[in-house]
Amino acid sequence: MADEGIEQYSNKRKKGSTNPSEYKRNVVKKARVKGAAYVNWKNQQQPEISQGADCKCKRRCYDLINEEVRNMIYAKFRSFETKNEQDSYLQSLISVTPVKQRRRRKDQDESKQPDRGAIDVYEISSVSGKYQVCKKAFANIHGVSYERIRRLNLLLSLGKPPQDQRGKNKSGNAKPGHFIDSIKQHISSFPSKVAHYSKNETNYLSEKLNLLIMYNLFKEKHPELGQV
């Protein structure tokens, strides 16, 4: 029975047997792009993303674009495979237009008026053409947050394309390549013995060694690497 358990464990952990698309990080990433429900890293259930409610602005955006067209726009937006593709699509629908006329507020010094040299214009793309809508309708129809739109506006003003930076931060526990190579060379420097009663060729270190001893020897040999 013990041999069967070991064999099952070995098969389960065999290199290359796991499908990367089933990794949790990839499942979560795909679900967020598609707007599907998922369980986050805190084991909390995240609901499915849907379109927002009517903006009820003076443009009457939801009257201009009926429900069928809104659903087609949302389906097209969620059909993109990556967040970068989605952001590039959204940014292509945003433009900046100079303010044609400024009005000074009553009882306010003109020198203290905010500098509003340009305004953001949002458009909805459909099979029948493009329609200018308000920011709220633009966000609600695509099912995105104001913060995401704010980021796209900022990148647009800087002339930069949107790039998803999530998951690209360097881990605080990451070590440089030369550091890892030094550790491997240090472990290989200890004499090892070959196990004679094992099906596979297995090397093991002396029973007089332990991690603390090897760690202290490594620090003495490589003081320039600092604290491990």
Side-chain angles (χ1 to χ4, degrees), residues 152-169:
L152 294 176
N153 287 338
L154 177 61
L155 293 174
L156 182 63
S157 65
L158 298 175
K160 296 181 179 180
Q163 291 292 331
D164 188 8
Q165 299 298 326
R166 294 177 302 180
K168 295 184 178 180
N169 293 332

Side-chain angles (χ1 to χ4, degrees), residues 17-174:
S17 62
T18 304
N19 186 358
S21 64
E22 297 178 357
Y23 292 169
K24 185 169 184 177
R25 64 175 182 271
N26 293 331
V27 171
V28 171
K29 183 183 295 185
K30 183 177 180 179
R32 294 183 66 176
V33 170
K34 297 300 181 180
Y38 66 95
V39 179
N40 64 14
W41 292 99
K42 297 181 180 180
N43 290 325
Q44 298 173 342
Q45 182 68 38
Q46 301 300 309
E48 180 181 359
I49 298 175
S50 59
Q51 297 185 67
D54 189 349
C55 59
K56 296 182 179 180
C57 71
K58 62 181 181 180
R59 291 178 180 272
R60 304 180 68 86
C61 302
Y62 272 45
D63 292 338
L64 179 66
I65 306 171
N66 60 46
E67 183 178 0
E68 181 181 359
V69 175
R70 294 197 301 269
N71 291 336
M72 291 176 60
I73 293 171
Y74 182 77
K76 177 182 178 180
F77 175 69
R78 292 299 173 183
S79 68
F80 293 110
E81 295 297 327
T82 65
K83 183 175 181 295
N84 284 337
E85 291 176 341
Q86 289 183 344
D87 286 346
S88 296
Y89 170 76
L90 292 176
Q91 195 181 66
S92 68
L93 300 174
I94 303 174
S95 58
V96 179
T97 301
V99 175
K100 296 180 180 180
Q101 183 179 2
R102 299 183 183 180
R103 294 182 180 179
R104 187 172 67 86
R105 295 180 180 178
K106 296 181 180 180
D107 303 327
Q108 186 171 359
D109 188 358
E110 186 174 356
S111 61
K112 297 181 180 179
Q113 291 288 324
D115 184 13
R116 296 181 178 177
I119 57 174
D120 297 319
V121 177
Y122 303 94
E123 292 181 323
I124 293 294
S125 178
S126 67
V127 292
S128 58
K130 290 186 177 181
Y131 302 91
Q132 186 173 332
V133 296
C134 66
K135 180 179 179 180
K136 184 175 182 180
F138 184 80
N140 289 353
I141 291 175
H142 292 101
V144 298
S145 64
Y146 284 173
E147 176 59 27
R148 187 169 178 179
I149 295 176
R150 184 202 64 79
R151 171 178 169 270
L152 294 176
N153 287 338
L154 177 61
L155 293 174
L156 182 63
S157 65
L158 298 175
K160 296 181 179 180
Q163 291 292 331
D164 188 8
Q165 299 298 326
R166 294 177 302 180
K168 295 184 178 180
N169 293 332
K170 185 178 180 181
S171 171
N173 296 324

Side-chain angles (χ1 to χ4, degrees), residues 204-221:
Y204 62 94
L205 299 174
S206 171
E207 66 277 3
K208 297 181 180 180
L209 289 174
N210 57 42
L211 289 177
L212 181 60
I213 294 175
M214 297 174 69
Y215 172 70
N216 291 330
L217 291 173
F218 180 82
K219 290 198 299 182
E220 292 178 2
K221 186 176 181 180

